[in-house]
Amino acid sequence: MVDVIVAGGGPTGLMLAGELRLHDVHTLVLEKDTEPSGQSRGQGLHARSVEIMDQRGLLDRFLAVSEKFQVGGLFGGIIKPWPERLDTAHAYGLATPQPVTERLLDERARELGAEIRRGCEVVGLRQDEDGVTVELADGARLRSRYLVGCDGGRSTVRRLLGVGFPGEPSKVETLLGVMELTEDPAVVAAVVAEINKTQKRFGAVRVGDGEGLYRVIVPAAGVAEDRASAPTLEEFKRQLRATAGTDFGVHSPRWLTRFGDATRQAERYRVGRVLLAGDAAHIHPPTGGQGLNIGVQDAFNLGWKLAAEVDGWAPEGLLDSYHAERHPVGARVLENTRAQMTLMGADPGATALRELFSTLMDFEEVNRYVTGIITAIGVRYDFGEGHDLLGRRMRDVTLKRGRLYELMHSGRGLLLDQIGLLSVAGWADRVDHVVDVSEELDVQAVLLRPDGHVAWVGDDQQDLRNHLPKWFGAAASS
């Protein structure tokens, strides 16, 4: 029996597989596509995801193939300078095409021992008190202790579970693709700049090293009946002419796709031994570039909790805290993307609203708040009353003997003890105890969960012992 089967080999599923393997969980990823699609809907990592990659020792790999960007806001097509005093040591994003992100996470998962099978489509599941039976399209059956559906917005796992997916259907649709343009680049840039004054769902940006290769986005004529069908090049040409008066001489498409503005969220992220993450749990317009990021962050929250269940030390309610913490985050992303789609409208009312919102974002506090929404830096879980750090993700801080995130590559909990008088005796198999100091931290000690969120702040040993079981289970017998 496999410990965990992950249905879906996109960024969410691959990130989860890597997290599980850090704890030696026998993990099998099933991906229905035989080869990566090469499509790049997700265009990069926001600051919170950059933190996550650093915390797991992956950041250097991403920096080697990515470009940093520091554009604040990115909200509803409104671009502002990066705000100051963000609560992160990584005040930047990374422009990383989705295929590159998938390749790096795939390599990481395999290095850690995850098994990844392509051309394996899940078509059935049945769970009981001991595990989950997964049926594949070729008739094969597999058995696992847990199953996680990371299989996209049209999730088969979610459908088989019968989990409701309430929300709103698409009202508008957008075409996206990578293709070659014969038009002069200066003309393309001038046309895009003019159209963008009123139409924010339009653009043509040079990509790669190929001469005349562009990533093109344009509003569709309506909402297609078959949303899974790719648009044709002729459809692209027609919509470019309708929107901009020219089709730029587009030809030789590398890939073409369409997306809508539907917003839906799974009613439950967990049903027994089956869980949902990423687009299988929530779909929304790609405005602000949040989709890939929230999926990776779902996986980061879930991985250590599911591993604790498999390993047998999880305290009661730990796995349920995945839904309790991530469902509200998903709901807020749906809300902000709805707002962004309104701001991106082409009618006079939307234009006026966008101008007003742009003026408001010139205020530093507003810009910082909105950037915190988009980058997820503003996410704080509800751990109850206590210190202001409680429930927040601890940013990377410099210690006398290195950096905090360098100490968290293993995916374990960590007690950062600046007074050297505390102990994690009884939990040393799950929590690292680091005695070191940082000029950036004005508390005596912090207890961090494996995902970096602050679980306790203080200096009292008994109080620490009272809090350790909530996240790390019962103390090991001596």
Side-chain angles (χ1 to χ4, degrees), residues 297-317:
Q297 292 156 25
D298 283 348
F300 203 61
N301 181 284
L302 175 59
W304 69 278
K305 297 174 181 178
L306 188 52
E309 287 285 341
V310 171
D311 291 343
W313 59 259
E316 183 178 357

Side-chain angles (χ1 to χ4, degrees), residues 79 109 161 240 441:
I79 299 175
L161 276 179
L240 285 169
L441 195 59

